[in-house]
Amino acid sequence: MKIILGPSSKELAEKIAELTGFEKVPVVSRVFPDGESYVRLESSVKDEHVAIVHTTSKPQDSSLMQLCFMANAAKRNGAKKVTAVVPYLAYARQDKIFLDGENVSIETIAAMLKAAGIDQLITVNIHAENALSRFPLPAKTLTAIPTLAEYFTKKGLTKAFALAPDKGAMYIAQQAQQILGGEAGNLEKQRDRHTGQTTQTAAHLSVKDKVVIIFDDIISTGGTIVGAAKILHEQGAAKIYAACVHGLLIGDAEKRILDAGVEEIVATDSVPSKNSKVTLAPLLSEALKAL
Ligand code: R5P
């Protein structure tokens, strides 16, 4: 296997190449003045199974185009199989029809990836696993939650309370709980499908004087974490941390979260930023070695 160093995940791809010992395929990428993307593979992929490591966070549309172009370039240059390793998979949240007249965005993206030449896909903590059923190619999601939870045990926060900001993320809190060895619980979140506004509510949680880590798949605007932190403060939590797999952290999200009294934001390198304190490289390397 060879690792194609996708421009949006170059550092992560380099780490994966180092851990697996697979040869690297550098990529030249450029954006033309009109906004169009250009990519070129810099070494041979002939007769190889290649893994393109390339996340599709902001700017997601051009990242997706780059991914398709790299897959097409690989196939045109003789690659026998293309595996896309896409740590953050854009558009996965629109995985069903919520309101009449909508589309299923992830279905369109999946069809596009297949048409470009991708044979299989590996992602990490896709928002909802049922999105994978929209793929016309083998697709699987891995979980980075144990790795995130280990970051906190290494900090000495064993037994911290693992909190999910909504019911859908409870499985995430439970995965963290298995590593942390403390309690787990969840808040309730309702979303108005027309305005996108969310409201959060909580039954009484046993968080008084405890360290609480809020675990979520994505932090985008930070609204969910800010709302959860407010409830946790009201219920007497001693310290609050926020952890997510995909730290999109749009606009002033980071500031808003820290201003809400959260001690630290911890994310993976699925979306590279200064909050990417946990690398997905070992998890993804193992998955690639097992193919
Ligand atoms: C949605 O249900 C996701 O799991 C996250 O909770 C959501 O994307 C976070 O968004 P924001 O940071 O904008 O509240």
Side-chain angles (χ1 to χ4, degrees):
M1 180 179 278
K2 287 191 177 182
I3 305 289
I4 296 185
L5 309 178
S8 64
S9 291
K10 192 162 179 284
E11 256 182 56
L12 174 59
E14 300 254 14
K15 284 184 189 158
I16 292 173
E18 200 175 310
L19 286 176
T20 55
F22 295 146
E23 206 179 302
K24 296 185 267 193
V25 178
V27 176
V28 173
S29 72
R30 220 179 286 143
V31 178
F32 291 111
D34 60 358
E36 291 184 359
S37 300
Y38 168 90
V39 299
R40 184 169 60 83
L41 308 183
E42 284 202 288
S43 57
S44 172
V45 292
K46 195 162 167 29
D47 298 326
E48 298 284 349
H49 177 182
V50 294
I52 307 173
V53 182
H54 185 74
T55 205
T56 56
S57 51
K58 211 174 165 206
Q60 46 277 73
D61 293 359
S62 49
S63 297
L64 282 164
M65 291 317 293
Q66 288 175 330
L67 177 59
C68 289
F69 294 164
M70 286 184 283
N72 183 273
K75 281 283 169 74
R76 281 179 177 277
N77 286 282
K80 63 172 196 268
K81 190 167 185 182
V82 174
T83 296
V85 178
V86 187
Y88 174 72
L89 184 57
Y91 293 101
R93 281 175 285 182
Q94 184 74 18
D95 60 351
K96 58 177 177 248
I97 301 290
F98 298 96
L99 295 175
D100 285 350
E102 288 179 348
N103 73 315
V104 179
S105 309
I106 195 62
E107 191 173 68
T108 308
I109 300 297
M112 216 171 89
L113 299 181
K114 183 177 163 73
I118 291 170
D119 299 299
Q120 62 180 353
L121 177 130
I122 299 174
T123 187
V124 182
N125 288 94
I126 195 163
H127 180 60
E129 264 190 56
N130 63 327
L132 298 176
S133 67
R134 305 284 185 182
F135 275 73
L137 62 151
K140 73 169 167 189
T141 182
L142 307 174
T143 180
I145 300 301
T147 322
L148 273 172
E150 277 160 15
Y151 174 91
F152 291 98
T153 56
K154 284 185 199 141
K155 260 181 103 84
L157 298 184
T158 320
K159 303 276 183 226
F161 189 108
L163 183 85
D166 55 45
K167 230 188 216 154
M170 189 55 193
Y171 82 98
I172 288 180
Q174 283 164 340
Q175 286 179 3
Q177 180 191 26
Q178 293 206 335
I179 303 291
L180 294 167
E183 297 161 81
N186 69 280
L187 303 179
E188 299 280 349
K189 187 168 84 176
Q190 293 82 30
R191 185 180 295 275
D192 181 317
R193 287 283 162 200
H194 290 278
T195 64
Q197 288 290 340
T198 57
T199 46
Q200 283 160 291
T201 48
H204 177 74
L205 296 162
S206 57
V207 294
K208 192 161 167 39
D209 299 328
K210 292 183 186 160
V211 173
V212 181
I213 308 168
I214 310 166
F215 284 90
D216 210 348
D217 56 342
I218 300 170
I219 299 179
S220 180
T221 64
T224 302
I225 300 292
V226 170
K230 186 168 177 284
I231 292 171
L232 290 170
H233 281 305
E234 284 162 7
Q235 297 203 9
K239 274 191 174 175
I240 304 167
Y241 292 81
C244 68
V245 179
H246 312 295
L248 303 180
L249 294 159
I250 304 303
D252 62 352
E254 182 182 343
K255 181 176 182 316
R256 289 177 61 220
I257 292 170
L258 297 176
D259 287 351
V262 170
E263 305 283 327
E264 185 182 356
I265 304 167
V266 180
T268 76
D269 50 3
S270 105
V271 181
S273 81
K274 71 176 195 316
N275 296 293
S276 303
K277 298 170 186 169
V278 169
T279 180
L280 297 173
L283 180 74
L284 293 169
S285 298
E286 286 312 308
L288 289 178
K289 283 196 283 186
L291 289 179

